[in-house]
Amino acid sequence: MDNAHLAELFTILLCIVLSAFFSASETSYNMLNRVRLKNMAADGNKRAQLTLKIAENYDNLLSTILIGNNVVNILASSLATVFFTYLLGQNGVTVATAIMTVVVLVFGEITPKGLAKEFPDRYAMSVAPAMHALVTIFTPLNWIFAKWKHLLTRLCKSSEDSALTQDDLMTIVDEAQSNGGIDKRNGDLIRSAIEFNDFDAGDILTPRVDIIAVEQETVLDDITNIFMHSRFSRIPVYKDSIDNITGMIHEKDFFCGLHSGMTSIQNIIQKIIYVGPGVHISDLLHELQQSQTQMAVVVDEFGGTEGIVTMEDIIEELVGEIWDEHDQAIDYFQKLDELHYKVNCSANLDDFFSFFHIHLDPEDFDYVTVSGWVMEQLGKIPSPGDTFTYEDYTVKVVKTATRHAVQIIVQCKHSLSKACES
């Protein structure tokens, strides 16, 4: 074997190495974690900055990789054909085709792409200088291919929207959690933040019938008793009717005033804001911050009080239930036996459907609580003993107050462990 054929063999091996380089580069730049690289770049990592710069112009990068990969693969195959024809004569073409197909697939494609997939960020940063040089060298060819792509794009217009949707973001969070990138607690927090703007004030308000409020002229001893028994830190104040809430009083201000000899609550009434039930809670949070108040009154279309929303109610939609030393945990769903459950009617309708595996969208109903749903199903004001059947469940009203259901018993037709328990 003379020097010329040894040079051919060396060139073939070099082409396989370069093929592996281009294949691994394509995979690594396609799978790299841009968020992580941006953090590294912000900390002054020069390689991360260069890698991001290359990745931001992915079309030029891809053109460079494809040009380089095809050139070295074709060159390796051509030289292999010449080399094996020299060794084996006419059979050399068949042998060269078979050998080069296996070698390119194993060592030029599958192996490097598999390794790059495991360490995309590390590999992309390690080859960034070389890749930047190649992109610069192939700039004229990349420009030609960019114009060709632009022409094809204009001829074949796509109606697809490439923007990320809320469902896409939810899927990303699910994948990050399943891959161990984030834990369940942080995953739930991110989901709550994504869904935050889906909720309106009407979805989280404390309904009118559950509001504990005081009239402006209520004697101080009665207000003291209300604070002591309700354990609320803030209480709405109304004039003449609950439909005319004028402000709120804070427990601290009230008892400080009593200590100072206060005879009326007029001077400690703080302002509140008024909103409609359809305002997004993200907008309501901003309004509460701007007005420097902790409470909003939700009014209906006639200007009457529909309920109240506090800053705490909104924040709980993000971080979950917030408990202080005076809060009492409410067990909304109590198991009585294998077929019966006692349900507190102030439970959220979405939670109720999820708990009993009722596959309906709560947004299809006009109410957000079990109490409203019971009234809707009965078609009248609930009374103790009223019953109705819904799908595989029999519902019986066992306790009412102020023209609404307080407690129901839900009977399942099948074992709770199979049909009801989540």
Side-chain angles (χ1 to χ4, degrees):
M1 186 182 298
D2 56 25
N3 291 336
H5 290 97
L6 286 175
E8 288 176 357
L9 182 59
F10 175 78
T11 304
I12 292 171
L13 294 176
L14 178 61
C15 287
I16 297 302
V17 172
L18 290 175
S19 177
F21 164 77
F22 286 118
S23 297
S25 298
E26 180 182 0
T27 298
S28 63
Y29 275 92
N30 191 44
M31 299 188 65
L32 58 79
N33 189 323
R34 298 197 179 199
V35 174
R36 185 179 301 154
L37 286 178
K38 285 181 179 179
N39 290 332
M40 295 172 66
D43 292 336
N45 189 311
K46 299 298 184 182
R47 280 292 179 95
Q49 294 172 2
L50 180 59
T51 303
L52 278 176
K53 181 181 178 181
I54 296 171
E56 284 171 357
N57 198 341
Y58 188 74
D59 286 345
N60 281 348
L61 172 67
L62 184 60
S63 296
T64 299
I65 290 174
L66 292 178
I67 292 170
N69 206 17
N70 279 281
V71 167
V72 297
N73 284 342
I74 293 172
L75 178 60
S77 299
S78 300
L79 291 175
T81 301
V82 174
F83 180 78
F84 282 104
T85 300
Y86 164 76
L87 292 179
L88 304 174
Q90 293 183 346
N91 294 328
V93 175
T94 302
V95 173
T97 302
I99 292 178
M100 289 306 298
T101 298
V102 174
V103 170
V104 170
L105 277 176
V106 175
F107 299 103
E109 295 289 336
I110 297 174
T111 301
K113 286 187 175 182
L115 293 175
K117 181 181 177 182
E118 296 298 322
F119 313 102
D121 298 347
R122 188 187 308 174
Y123 182 84
M125 287 193 294
S126 67
V127 301
M131 192 55 63
H132 182 259
L134 288 171
V135 170
T136 303
I137 293 171
F138 289 133
T139 295
L141 289 175
N142 290 334
W143 182 84
I144 295 173
F145 287 124
K147 293 299 181 182
W148 173 248
K149 178 191 173 185
H150 180 67
L151 176 62
L152 291 178
T153 302
R154 294 186 63 181
L155 294 175
C156 308
K157 293 183 179 180
S158 174
S159 59
E160 293 184 5
D161 186 2
S162 59
L164 284 176
T165 64
Q166 180 171 304
D167 290 339
D168 295 333
L169 291 175
M170 287 294 193
T171 302
I172 292 172
V173 175
D174 291 339
E175 290 182 354
Q177 186 173 324
S178 62
N179 292 332
I182 56 176
D183 56 26
K184 184 179 184 303
R185 180 174 59 85
N186 287 325
D188 291 341
L189 183 59
I190 296 171
R191 291 188 193 91
S192 297
I194 294 173
E195 294 177 331
F196 189 60
N197 208 44
D198 289 345
F199 293 101
D200 300 330
D203 296 326
I204 66 170
L205 58 77
T206 298
R208 172 194 177 103
V209 294
D210 292 332
I211 295 176
I212 296 178
V214 297
E215 212 276 335
Q216 286 184 2
E217 305 302 326
T218 303
V219 296
L220 301 185
D221 287 343
D222 290 343
I223 298 177
T224 299
N225 289 331
I226 292 173
F227 270 121
M228 297 296 291
H229 288 92
S230 69
R231 298 300 181 94
F232 292 140
S233 59
R234 297 175 182 85
I235 294 180
V237 177
Y238 64 87
K239 183 178 180 181
D240 299 329
S241 166
I242 193 69
D243 286 319
N244 185 27
I245 295 178
T246 58
M248 67 176 181
I249 55 175
H250 196 286
E251 178 184 31
K252 181 183 66 176
D253 296 335
F254 177 75
F255 286 107
C256 285
L258 280 183
H259 182 73
S260 302
M262 176 183 68
T263 59
S264 171
I265 63 172
Q266 292 297 328
N267 293 331
I268 64 170
I269 295 177
Q270 299 179 15
K271 66 178 181 179
I272 54 175
I273 63 174
Y274 305 87
V275 297
V279 63
H280 291 311
I281 61 174
S282 56
D283 296 330
L284 178 54
L285 177 61
H286 180 69
E287 286 189 49
L288 290 172
Q289 290 173 323
Q290 290 292 103
S291 60
Q292 297 182 342
T293 186
Q294 297 283 324
M295 184 181 295
V297 178
V298 181
V299 296
D300 59 26
E301 57 183 314
F302 304 107
T305 299
E306 186 171 328
I308 60 171
V309 176
T310 65
M311 182 81 77
E312 181 178 317
D313 294 330
I314 298 174
I315 295 175
E316 284 181 340
E317 291 302 319
L318 272 177
V319 301
E321 201 71 30
I322 300 173
W323 302 97
D324 62 30
E325 61 273 18
H326 298 307
D327 285 341
Q328 294 182 354
I330 300 175
D331 189 0
Y332 291 104
F333 308 99
Q334 299 180 34
K335 180 178 180 180
L336 301 179
D337 57 41
E338 285 299 317
L339 296 177
H340 297 83
Y341 260 78
K342 182 188 293 183
V343 178
N344 186 312
C345 290
S346 61
N348 184 276
L349 189 58
D350 192 5
D351 295 337
F352 177 80
F353 284 168
S354 297
F355 189 85
F356 288 104
H357 291 180
I358 299 175
H359 302 291
L360 294 173
D361 188 350
E363 293 185 2
D364 294 337
F365 295 86
D366 295 330
Y367 302 94
V368 297
T369 64
V370 175
S371 176
W373 175 74
V374 170
M375 184 182 298
E376 184 177 57
Q377 296 304 310
L378 289 172
K380 67 182 186 70
I381 302 298
S383 300
D386 288 341
T387 61
F388 64 90
T389 299
Y390 195 90
E391 293 190 355
D392 291 337
Y393 307 94
T394 300
V395 178
K396 181 179 180 180
V397 179
V398 295
K399 187 177 181 181
T400 61
T402 322
R403 299 180 296 280
H404 70 282
V406 173
Q407 196 173 84
I408 60 174
I409 299 294
V410 178
Q411 178 181 347
C412 305
K413 290 186 178 180
H414 307 287
S415 171
L416 290 179
S417 59
K418 296 180 180 179
C420 296
E421 290 184 336
S422 59

